[in-house]
Amino acid sequence: MISAYRGLAVRSIIWIAAILIGTIIVILLVRAKDRKRPGFRDWLRDPTSFYRRAAQDGLFEDPDPGRVTDDQIRAEVSALLNDRKAQRAASWLRKVGPRCVPFLVDALRDSRFLTYSRPKDSAFATVPIDRVLSILGRLGDARMAEAMTHLAFDSDIRIRQEAAMALTSLGAAEQAATIKRLLLEGNAKIVDYVFIGLQHAIERKTASPEFLTAIFDDLQQYLTWEEFQFESKPAQAMLRADRSRALSIITSDPVWRFSNPSLVPILRALLKERVDIPPQALAQLDHELGEPNGDRRREEVIGLLLNAQARQRIRGVEARITRYLDAGSTLIQHYAAEAFAAINGVIDPLAHTSNLIDARGWDRMTEPQQFLHAVYGLEGEVNNGGFSQYFFNSAGDFWRTALAGLRAMNVNTTFELLQKAVDFFGPDGPSADRDERQEQLSKIIDEREADLHALDDEFFKDEDQRYVRLLLYAAKNAEHFH
């Protein structure tokens, strides 16, 4: 009898404990839900509430750097210590810009930022010092150089990565010795961030000739590194430093071989920098490659080489382009379309139309330019986040132009998909006013989300080969894209 009572008591305790644990979990989940930041799905389902919550979190705060006080900056830097306030504070500090640099550099000497324990359960979780380094890296101010030089050799790999990237992005001759040391060290986890910083320096045009010349020899070893087979940064930096010398190195053994795992990004760098490759080097690599055989990497090299031959109008390239457009794999057809555009003088038509919008405005663009830009906008947005993202964002302002462009390019399947998506908005279609269109979209998401996703799935099949059609259209209207 006693043992039976004991068993009943034990079972009762277990049930009570289970109920208590379950209650605690439910409370934590509810609190987590209440605390979560508004995301894209909240945006789609209820734009008004999304903007209200985002405003409450300070995500749209736009401080005037000239009117911000030092005490305000100190308070926001301190807010980086708080996980819940850090995102808003980081956004605020980036908007204030260079004025924050001395305060952020001071934080790198502050024990509150230097004393931390990294979470072991998340590779993406940040600690306060990471946030400071990230902001400084984006601001790219030379006043951070001394502190960053010390941190580039810290024992914490994440700190080293951020510091290496920030220092390299400055692109100044004074940092060359440190960057050379990091490159010679050969730690792939650090060198990758050096190259990210190098890309920033090139894009921002902060990489000085003296800096690039100083690190030139140290970059050569990375032209054949397998770890960087998707990156064009070493070759691009060398070409910026000394084009003639770099080209001589690149088109020699062991770099200029199909066996080099970094050959694809090297070819991309040559095309990006618009370098004329010596004809004998083109012929040598062409002979080594032969014809496409279904291997993706081989087809990439053949396609990039075809682009270089088209730009330089190498004899016989027109016949190869025609053959690959008609009978090549999907990848080869994409590259052949790029080559066809290039031989007609059209290189990167999207960049061309984007520059025209900035310089002239939409209304002063020609119809072919508007068609191409609107269809590119559709392609990018739907592939990234479906038709819902397309209509939510500013690209959706031009849905009528996109329909007309698809028709002009004979991209008929995609035309029908876009028309079906437009029909969800009723007889008048999506509103030209973005706020109103977002409200329309939120109702569609509530009522017909599965139908909209079904259109996304059909779009992703790309039965029209839209990229090929876009480039062929640009080539046939080349006078609008020079």
Side-chain angles (χ1 to χ4, degrees):
M1 178 70 72
I2 293 173
S3 61
Y5 279 122
R6 284 177 178 171
L8 179 62
V10 170
R11 286 195 296 272
S12 298
I13 291 170
I14 292 173
W15 276 106
I16 292 170
I19 291 169
L20 286 172
I21 292 170
T23 303
I24 292 169
I25 291 173
V26 169
I27 291 171
L28 290 173
L29 288 172
V30 169
R31 288 182 176 176
K33 182 179 179 182
D34 289 340
R35 288 198 305 265
K36 75 174 185 178
R37 295 190 179 278
F40 184 60
R41 295 194 65 77
D42 302 295
W43 211 353
L44 288 175
R45 292 187 179 280
D46 190 355
T48 303
S49 297
F50 172 87
Y51 284 121
R52 183 172 61 250
R53 289 184 63 188
Q56 289 171 352
D57 281 352
L59 298 181
F60 299 142
E61 198 172 343
D62 195 13
D64 179 354
R67 303 182 67 178
V68 167
T69 67
D70 289 356
D71 287 340
Q72 284 178 296
I73 296 175
R74 290 191 187 94
E76 296 298 338
V77 172
S78 294
L80 296 174
L81 294 162
N82 187 314
D83 291 344
R84 293 186 63 187
K85 297 179 180 179
Q87 183 182 13
R88 186 206 60 78
S91 174
W92 189 93
L93 290 163
R94 285 193 294 268
K95 289 174 182 176
V96 171
R99 275 205 57 201
C100 299
V101 171
F103 302 91
L104 290 164
V105 171
D106 285 344
L108 297 178
R109 307 184 185 96
D110 188 328
S111 60
R112 295 177 302 163
F113 287 90
L114 296 175
T115 305
Y116 60 88
S117 177
R118 287 201 179 279
K120 295 181 179 180
D121 58 345
S122 174
F124 301 102
T126 61
V127 294
I129 194 169
D130 295 333
R131 299 158 193 162
V132 174
L133 291 170
S134 177
I135 299 166
L136 282 170
R138 292 194 186 191
L139 293 177
D141 192 296
R143 288 174 290 177
M144 69 178 176
E146 182 180 351
M148 289 293 186
T149 299
H150 173 71
L151 293 173
F153 302 97
D154 193 86
S155 59
D156 186 317
I157 190 71
R158 292 274 292 275
I159 290 177
R160 291 194 68 193
Q161 288 171 333
E162 291 287 348
M165 180 171 63
L167 271 179
T168 314
S169 69
L170 293 176
E174 293 77 9
Q175 278 75 58
T178 302
I179 304 309
K180 284 170 66 69
R181 182 178 166 189
L182 293 172
L183 289 170
L184 288 170
E185 184 181 287
N187 183 331
K189 292 180 180 179
I190 302 301
V191 171
D192 195 30
Y193 279 76
V194 169
F195 286 134
I196 293 172
L198 189 58
Q199 188 68 28
H200 291 167
I202 290 172
E203 290 171 353
R204 297 172 187 170
K205 299 182 179 179
T206 58
S208 69
E210 295 80 10
F211 172 75
L212 293 174
T213 299
I215 65 172
F216 186 96
D217 290 336
D218 304 294
L219 293 172
Q220 290 188 45
Q221 64 178 307
Y222 297 104
L223 292 175
T224 54
W225 261 44
E226 187 170 359
E227 286 85 350
F228 301 102
Q229 60 182 304
F230 303 112
E231 303 290 344
S232 61
K233 302 178 190 85
Q236 191 176 7
M238 291 174 68
L239 289 165
R240 292 283 179 96
D242 188 333
R243 177 171 292 214
S244 177
R245 185 180 168 205
L247 185 58
S248 176
I249 294 169
I250 287 170
T251 55
S252 301
D253 287 337
V255 180
W256 197 247
R257 289 287 183 185
F258 180 65
S259 57
N260 178 9
S262 290
L263 184 59
V264 168
I266 287 170
L267 285 167
R268 292 192 189 283
L270 290 166
L271 290 171
K272 188 170 185 177
E273 295 297 313
R274 305 198 177 194
V275 176
D276 280 346
I277 303 169
Q280 63 272 24
L282 289 172
Q284 173 195 330
L285 189 56
D286 198 14
H287 178 74
E288 181 185 356
L289 291 168
E291 288 295 315
N293 61 2
D295 176 72
R296 182 177 178 84
R297 181 172 172 273
R298 182 179 295 274
E299 290 190 350
E300 280 192 284
V301 175
I302 289 172
L304 291 165
L305 194 65
L306 187 68
N307 270 266
Q309 293 168 328
R311 293 186 187 190
Q312 296 174 219
R313 301 183 180 277
I314 300 297
R315 179 180 297 178
V317 70
E318 294 95 335
R320 292 184 69 187
I321 291 170
T322 302
R323 180 157 52 88
Y324 289 153
L325 279 173
D326 291 339
S329 68
T330 299
L331 182 61
I332 283 290
Q333 286 180 332
H334 283 200
Y335 280 117
E338 289 180 354
F340 182 77
I343 209 165
N344 284 278
V346 177
I347 297 172
D348 201 348
L350 177 60
H352 181 77
T353 57
S354 298
N355 292 336
L356 286 177
I357 289 176
D358 293 338
R360 302 180 187 174
W362 177 265
D363 292 336
R364 296 185 63 188
M365 290 170 64
T366 65
E367 185 176 76
Q369 291 165 352
Q370 290 181 346
F371 282 174
L372 184 131
H373 198 83
V375 174
Y376 258 122
L378 172 74
E379 178 77 2
E381 293 286 3
V382 179
N383 277 327
N384 184 258
F387 279 104
S388 57
Q389 179 173 308
Y390 172 68
F391 288 116
F392 193 92
N393 288 337
S394 58
D397 294 350
F398 306 106
W399 63 267
R400 294 182 192 275
T401 308
L403 276 173
L406 291 168
R407 182 65 84 196
M409 298 172 196
N410 295 317
V411 187
N412 297 322
T413 300
T414 306
F415 175 90
E416 292 171 4
L417 292 174
L418 178 55
Q419 185 62 64
K420 288 178 181 178
V422 165
D423 290 342
F424 287 171
F425 289 81
D428 295 328
S431 173
D433 181 270
R434 189 178 174 194
D435 291 337
E436 290 182 11
R437 190 170 68 249
Q438 290 173 358
E439 293 291 347
Q440 290 175 316
L441 184 60
S442 109
K443 293 177 183 177
I444 293 170
I445 292 296
D446 284 337
E447 298 169 4
R448 303 191 63 181
E449 184 174 18
D451 294 333
L452 200 57
H453 286 335
L455 293 182
D456 296 340
D457 292 338
E458 291 300 313
F459 188 95
F460 300 150
K461 292 177 182 177
D462 192 17
E463 293 180 2
D464 291 315
Q465 290 213 52
R466 289 179 295 270
Y467 184 65
V468 171
R469 297 291 185 89
L470 277 163
L471 288 169
L472 295 181
Y473 178 80
K476 290 173 183 176
N477 296 273
E479 66 273 17
H480 298 275
F481 300 102
H482 287 149

